[in-house]
Amino acid sequence: MFSFFKRPTALQIYIAAYDRGVDANGVPKPDHWAIIVSKSLSHAGTAHHVIHGHPLFEYRPREDVYVLKSQSLAHVLNIGRVYEKDVAKLAAVFEKVEVNNVDKSWNCQDWVLEAVQGIKGVDGVSLEKGLKIENLRELVKAASDGRGL
């Protein structure tokens, strides 16, 4: 009898940035960031992010997110891969990332940076070689919106 080894399915890990418009004074609001785990940008995925604002920020994952269907998508950056069997490990890390409702300068982008730092070295997760957390703000801003992919 032949035994076939099935290769584990890998999902992509993205940081998606969404334009939030301008405030009452016409000043651009910071982009909303989320970590998206999906087969590809054209497939539904799960968004891991914090929602609301001070003092009500909370971590809340959202399933069935179609990144490319969002009208407010500004940038998307592929930062790595995770085996499908290891996705629960990501969620466990994300649930433990502290939400800061005290520091008024803290926002969803800071949560994403801390979450990415937290998944470094998690078994089954492979981040892009040379990815530096301190450069992620610039990398995300330089990324396209993914619609040309």
mmCIF file of all heavy atoms in Angstrom, residues 66-85:
data_model
loop_
_atom_site.group_PDB
_atom_site.id
_atom_site.type_symbol
_atom_site.label_atom_id
_atom_site.label_comp_id
_atom_site.label_asym_id
_atom_site.label_seq_id
_atom_site.Cartn_x
_atom_site.Cartn_y
_atom_site.Cartn_z
ATOM 1 N N TYR A 66 -13.140 39.997 3.712
ATOM 2 C CA TYR A 66 -12.596 40.026 2.352
ATOM 3 C C TYR A 66 -11.827 41.327 2.202
ATOM 4 O O TYR A 66 -12.414 42.384 1.975
ATOM 5 C CB TYR A 66 -13.711 39.934 1.311
ATOM 6 C CG TYR A 66 -14.326 38.567 1.213
ATOM 7 C CD1 TYR A 66 -15.379 38.196 2.040
ATOM 8 C CD2 TYR A 66 -13.835 37.641 0.301
ATOM 9 C CE1 TYR A 66 -15.937 36.936 1.953
ATOM 10 C CE2 TYR A 66 -14.388 36.372 0.204
ATOM 11 C CZ TYR A 66 -15.442 36.035 1.037
ATOM 12 O OH TYR A 66 -15.993 34.777 0.945
ATOM 13 N N VAL A 67 -10.527 41.254 2.336
ATOM 14 C CA VAL A 67 -9.674 42.444 2.348
ATOM 15 C C VAL A 67 -9.875 43.304 1.114
ATOM 16 O O VAL A 67 -10.063 44.512 1.209
ATOM 17 C CB VAL A 67 -8.183 42.041 2.485
ATOM 18 C CG1 VAL A 67 -7.288 43.248 2.373
ATOM 19 C CG2 VAL A 67 -7.954 41.324 3.804
ATOM 20 N N LEU A 68 -9.848 42.684 -0.062
ATOM 21 C CA LEU A 68 -9.895 43.459 -1.298
ATOM 22 C C LEU A 68 -11.264 44.064 -1.597
ATOM 23 O O LEU A 68 -11.382 44.902 -2.485
ATOM 24 C CB LEU A 68 -9.441 42.599 -2.482
ATOM 25 C CG LEU A 68 -7.985 42.149 -2.425
ATOM 26 C CD1 LEU A 68 -7.640 41.321 -3.657
ATOM 27 C CD2 LEU A 68 -7.040 43.337 -2.304
ATOM 28 N N LYS A 69 -12.284 43.685 -0.859
ATOM 29 C CA LYS A 69 -13.614 44.250 -1.079
ATOM 30 C C LYS A 69 -13.837 45.535 -0.288
ATOM 31 O O LYS A 69 -14.833 46.214 -0.473
ATOM 32 C CB LYS A 69 -14.699 43.228 -0.740
ATOM 33 C CG LYS A 69 -14.759 42.091 -1.743
ATOM 34 C CD LYS A 69 -15.916 41.171 -1.455
ATOM 35 C CE LYS A 69 -15.975 40.063 -2.495
ATOM 36 N NZ LYS A 69 -17.098 39.151 -2.252
ATOM 37 N N SER A 70 -12.913 45.861 0.584
ATOM 38 C CA SER A 70 -13.070 47.054 1.410
ATOM 39 C C SER A 70 -12.780 48.312 0.599
ATOM 40 O O SER A 70 -11.737 48.424 -0.048
ATOM 41 C CB SER A 70 -12.118 47.001 2.602
ATOM 42 O OG SER A 70 -12.151 48.229 3.285
ATOM 43 N N GLN A 71 -13.703 49.253 0.646
ATOM 44 C CA GLN A 71 -13.520 50.533 -0.037
ATOM 45 C C GLN A 71 -12.450 51.388 0.645
ATOM 46 O O GLN A 71 -11.860 52.255 0.014
ATOM 47 C CB GLN A 71 -14.847 51.308 -0.068
ATOM 48 C CG GLN A 71 -15.917 50.624 -0.872
ATOM 49 C CD GLN A 71 -15.568 50.545 -2.348
ATOM 50 O OE1 GLN A 71 -15.018 51.477 -2.914
ATOM 51 N NE2 GLN A 71 -15.866 49.421 -2.968
ATOM 52 N N SER A 72 -12.203 51.137 1.931
ATOM 53 C CA SER A 72 -11.256 51.978 2.666
ATOM 54 C C SER A 72 -9.852 51.380 2.747
ATOM 55 O O SER A 72 -8.974 51.972 3.378
ATOM 56 C CB SER A 72 -11.787 52.251 4.077
ATOM 57 O OG SER A 72 -11.907 51.054 4.798
ATOM 58 N N LEU A 73 -9.614 50.228 2.105
ATOM 59 C CA LEU A 73 -8.277 49.625 2.141
ATOM 60 C C LEU A 73 -7.261 50.589 1.547
ATOM 61 O O LEU A 73 -7.417 51.063 0.423
ATOM 62 C CB LEU A 73 -8.262 48.301 1.364
ATOM 63 C CG LEU A 73 -6.924 47.573 1.328
ATOM 64 C CD1 LEU A 73 -6.527 47.107 2.723
ATOM 65 C CD2 LEU A 73 -6.992 46.393 0.370
ATOM 66 N N ALA A 74 -6.223 50.885 2.311
ATOM 67 C CA ALA A 74 -5.176 51.801 1.848
ATOM 68 C C ALA A 74 -3.896 51.048 1.508
ATOM 69 O O ALA A 74 -3.244 51.342 0.508
ATOM 70 C CB ALA A 74 -4.887 52.855 2.918
ATOM 71 N N HIS A 75 -3.513 50.086 2.348
ATOM 72 C CA HIS A 75 -2.264 49.357 2.165
ATOM 73 C C HIS A 75 -2.433 47.939 2.687
ATOM 74 O O HIS A 75 -3.185 47.710 3.625
ATOM 75 C CB HIS A 75 -1.118 50.011 2.948
ATOM 76 C CG HIS A 75 -0.980 51.478 2.738
ATOM 77 N ND1 HIS A 75 -0.398 52.021 1.625
ATOM 78 C CD2 HIS A 75 -1.370 52.524 3.503
ATOM 79 C CE1 HIS A 75 -0.414 53.337 1.713
ATOM 80 N NE2 HIS A 75 -1.005 53.667 2.851
ATOM 81 N N VAL A 76 -1.686 47.001 2.093
ATOM 82 C CA VAL A 76 -1.654 45.641 2.625
ATOM 83 C C VAL A 76 -0.250 45.093 2.414
ATOM 84 O O VAL A 76 0.349 45.274 1.358
ATOM 85 C CB VAL A 76 -2.744 44.732 2.000
ATOM 86 C CG1 VAL A 76 -2.542 44.542 0.516
ATOM 87 C CG2 VAL A 76 -2.825 43.408 2.720
ATOM 88 N N LEU A 77 0.279 44.479 3.452
ATOM 89 C CA LEU A 77 1.649 43.975 3.432
ATOM 90 C C LEU A 77 1.655 42.529 3.903
ATOM 91 O O LEU A 77 1.149 42.223 4.993
ATOM 92 C CB LEU A 77 2.526 44.826 4.366
ATOM 93 C CG LEU A 77 3.992 44.420 4.515
ATOM 94 C CD1 LEU A 77 4.755 44.671 3.207
ATOM 95 C CD2 LEU A 77 4.637 45.188 5.666
ATOM 96 N N ASN A 78 2.214 41.640 3.092
ATOM 97 C CA ASN A 78 2.357 40.240 3.491
ATOM 98 C C ASN A 78 3.575 40.153 4.404
ATOM 99 O O ASN A 78 4.676 40.538 4.019
ATOM 100 C CB ASN A 78 2.547 39.355 2.261
ATOM 101 C CG ASN A 78 2.560 37.887 2.603
ATOM 102 O OD1 ASN A 78 3.119 37.472 3.612
ATOM 103 N ND2 ASN A 78 1.946 37.087 1.762
ATOM 104 N N ILE A 79 3.350 39.649 5.626
ATOM 105 C CA ILE A 79 4.469 39.581 6.577
ATOM 106 C C ILE A 79 4.890 38.155 6.898
ATOM 107 O O ILE A 79 5.876 37.956 7.594
ATOM 108 C CB ILE A 79 4.168 40.342 7.879
ATOM 109 C CG1 ILE A 79 2.968 39.742 8.623
ATOM 110 C CG2 ILE A 79 3.971 41.826 7.604
ATOM 111 C CD1 ILE A 79 2.848 40.215 10.057
ATOM 112 N N GLY A 80 4.137 37.157 6.403
ATOM 113 C CA GLY A 80 4.550 35.791 6.706
ATOM 114 C C GLY A 80 3.485 34.763 6.402
ATOM 115 O O GLY A 80 2.501 35.039 5.716
ATOM 116 N N ARG A 81 3.711 33.571 6.969
ATOM 117 C CA ARG A 81 2.813 32.440 6.770
ATOM 118 C C ARG A 81 2.634 31.707 8.094
ATOM 119 O O ARG A 81 3.498 31.743 8.962
ATOM 120 C CB ARG A 81 3.403 31.462 5.749
ATOM 121 C CG ARG A 81 3.370 31.968 4.333
ATOM 122 C CD ARG A 81 4.261 31.161 3.399
ATOM 123 N NE ARG A 81 5.698 31.176 3.717
ATOM 124 C CZ ARG A 81 6.505 32.231 3.641
ATOM 125 N NH1 ARG A 81 6.023 33.397 3.279
ATOM 126 N NH2 ARG A 81 7.782 32.142 3.926
ATOM 127 N N VAL A 82 1.520 30.987 8.170
ATOM 128 C CA VAL A 82 1.247 30.123 9.324
ATOM 129 C C VAL A 82 0.558 28.875 8.797
ATOM 130 O O VAL A 82 -0.275 28.951 7.904
ATOM 131 C CB VAL A 82 0.374 30.832 10.395
ATOM 132 C CG1 VAL A 82 -0.985 31.245 9.840
ATOM 133 C CG2 VAL A 82 0.212 29.959 11.630
ATOM 134 N N TYR A 83 0.943 27.741 9.341
ATOM 135 C CA TYR A 83 0.245 26.519 8.971
ATOM 136 C C TYR A 83 -1.159 26.562 9.549
ATOM 137 O O TYR A 83 -1.371 27.026 10.675
ATOM 138 C CB TYR A 83 0.993 25.282 9.467
ATOM 139 C CG TYR A 83 2.271 25.025 8.708
ATOM 140 C CD1 TYR A 83 3.492 25.021 9.372
ATOM 141 C CD2 TYR A 83 2.257 24.785 7.338
ATOM 142 C CE1 TYR A 83 4.678 24.784 8.681
ATOM 143 C CE2 TYR A 83 3.432 24.553 6.640
ATOM 144 C CZ TYR A 83 4.630 24.553 7.314
ATOM 145 O OH TYR A 83 5.796 24.335 6.623
ATOM 146 N N GLU A 84 -2.101 26.081 8.763
ATOM 147 C CA GLU A 84 -3.503 26.095 9.177
ATOM 148 C C GLU A 84 -3.688 25.433 10.543
ATOM 149 O O GLU A 84 -4.451 25.916 11.378
ATOM 150 C CB GLU A 84 -4.343 25.389 8.108
ATOM 151 C CG GLU A 84 -5.808 25.650 8.204
ATOM 152 C CD GLU A 84 -6.539 25.176 6.963
ATOM 153 O OE1 GLU A 84 -6.198 24.100 6.425
ATOM 154 O OE2 GLU A 84 -7.458 25.886 6.539
ATOM 155 N N LYS A 85 -2.957 24.363 10.783
ATOM 156 C CA LYS A 85 -3.076 23.652 12.066
ATOM 157 C C LYS A 85 -2.554 24.480 13.243
ATOM 158 O O LYS A 85 -2.851 24.172 14.396
ATOM 159 C CB LYS A 85 -2.345 22.309 11.998
ATOM 160 C CG LYS A 85 -0.837 22.424 11.865
ATOM 161 C CD LYS A 85 -0.181 21.054 11.799
ATOM 162 C CE LYS A 85 1.314 21.138 11.732
ATOM 163 N NZ LYS A 85 1.964 21.686 12.894
#
